[in-house]
Amino acid sequence: MLNFNQLRAFYHAAKSQNFTQAAKELFITQPAITAQINALENNCKLTLFKKKGRRLYLTYEGRVLYEHVCKVFEYEKTIEKSMSGMLKLSEGLLRLGTTKTYARFLMPSLISHFHKAHPHIKIVVNEGTSKDMILDLIEFKNDVAVTSRVVTVEEVSFTPFRREELVLILSPSHPLTAYESISFEQLLREPILMKETGSGTRKEVNALFEANSCVPNILMESGNTELIKQLVMQGEGLAFLVNVAVAQEISDKKLATVRLRGHNPSLEVFIAYLKNQQLSPPARALVDMLEQLRTGDTPPHDIGTLVGKILATKVHKL
């Protein structure tokens, strides 16, 4: 079996053709170099050097070995450069899990600003329900997840990130738009379009009905927020969605919203990652950025501006 300490001693000795110089480069004694090369020659049963006076010559076998060893230690430099690059974020991979809603309305801004700071980091975004994203952390499919806590898993750390308002949406032509607010009894008469099981929104809406000892009249459930919005626009039912997902349609009067009297439903979003696993440098950089954005007061459309200011401050300090 090859001994890399012996090969390293041989490489430096062959390159300088001088045992003393090789010893200086490796910060060891000249007898130590001699011992390593003697051990290498004994192990491979080949003579690698010949001496004539004070001069040192490579044998044919030594020259062949040197050509191979040069490639080994050149590749070692490549490995060291790559490892240093990953540590300094000049290369690397970040696997980020999030909900489909956040993937559309939050992640473009976050990813854009993250890439400005770390342009050589490749990002893979995995979308799904909050439950799926949490379970994917355990399976090492995600490094970090931005999601609600639909399940509590011992291995996963949850840091509060944002609280999103859940709004009740309906068609602008719906009779309930005549009210500034409606009672829960009025809501019970309406068909509900639900987010899919496993989503944070579904969990919160289920909890809302359970707290009122009621069962929702579910017309349809889907993980497709756009489909739910389109059906609500067509008057097919009512739905609860996070405000960030419907703000534009409400502004454009394609959707309407009405307050549910006595209730102010919301969805808490968390930064999630495994407790007992060291984060990769890209994941650590993202978590640090997200933790600086931890506020319930920053409107979603202003997050990009806030991220930019944080990164600009970091660059200025450097």
Side-chain angles (χ1 to χ4, degrees), residues 89 94 110 114 118 144 159 161 271 273 279-294 307 310-311 314:
L89 297 174
L94 171 63
L110 278 176
F114 185 85
H118 312 295
V144 181
T159 302
F161 176 48
I271 307 163
Y273 51 89
L279 288 169
S280 68
R284 181 74 265 169
L286 178 68
V287 168
D288 289 344
M289 175 191 293
L290 292 173
E291 288 182 342
Q292 291 185 69
L293 294 171
R294 287 174 54 195
V307 175
I310 290 172
L311 293 179
K314 286 186 174 182

Side-chain angles (χ1 to χ4, degrees), residues 79-219:
I79 295 172
E80 290 175 347
K81 182 179 179 182
S82 179
M83 293 174 67
S84 176
M86 287 187 283
L87 188 61
K88 296 176 181 177
L89 297 174
S90 59
E91 66 174 280
L93 173 68
L94 171 63
R95 297 169 302 176
L96 172 62
T98 191
T99 64
K100 294 177 182 178
T101 298
Y102 258 30
R104 177 172 181 183
F105 296 102
L106 175 68
M107 289 305 148
S109 179
L110 278 176
I111 290 172
S112 177
H113 284 85
F114 185 85
H115 263 153
K116 287 180 181 177
H118 312 295
H120 302 295
I121 299 299
K122 178 182 177 182
I123 299 178
V124 175
V125 178
N126 186 16
E127 302 175 30
T129 66
S130 294
K131 182 179 179 179
D132 288 341
M133 295 303 96
I134 293 168
L135 296 179
D136 280 353
L137 286 171
I138 300 171
E139 296 295 326
F140 303 119
K141 295 177 181 178
N142 292 329
D143 301 313
V144 181
V146 179
T147 181
S148 60
R149 183 161 59 182
V150 294
V151 290
T152 299
V153 181
E154 181 63 29
E155 302 99 301
V156 178
S157 170
F158 292 94
T159 302
F161 176 48
R162 293 178 55 77
R163 185 172 289 279
E164 302 288 357
E165 179 187 6
L166 282 175
V167 295
L168 179 62
I169 58 170
L170 61 167
S171 167
S173 61
H174 197 289
L176 288 179
T177 57
Y179 298 88
E180 183 178 340
S181 64
I182 64 171
S183 66
F184 210 88
E185 289 72 21
Q186 288 174 291
L187 176 64
L188 289 176
R189 304 187 196 116
E190 301 294 329
I192 303 295
L193 306 175
M194 279 280 204
K195 289 297 294 293
E196 79 276 43
T197 300
S199 75
T201 299
R202 177 63 175 269
K203 180 184 177 183
E204 294 301 323
V205 175
N206 282 346
L208 178 64
F209 278 87
E210 288 172 7
N212 287 273
S213 302
C214 298
V215 177
N217 175 21
I218 301 176
L219 175 66

Side-chain angles (χ1 to χ4, degrees), residues 49 109 194 221 224 300:
F49 290 99
S109 179
M194 279 280 204
E221 62 179 75
N224 190 324

Side-chain angles (χ1 to χ4, degrees), residues 246-263:
V246 296
Q248 188 60 56
E249 288 85 354
I250 292 173
S251 176
D252 294 340
K253 302 190 184 306
K254 293 179 180 179
L255 287 172
T257 183
V258 63
R259 188 170 61 84
L260 186 59
R261 200 174 306 140
H263 298 280

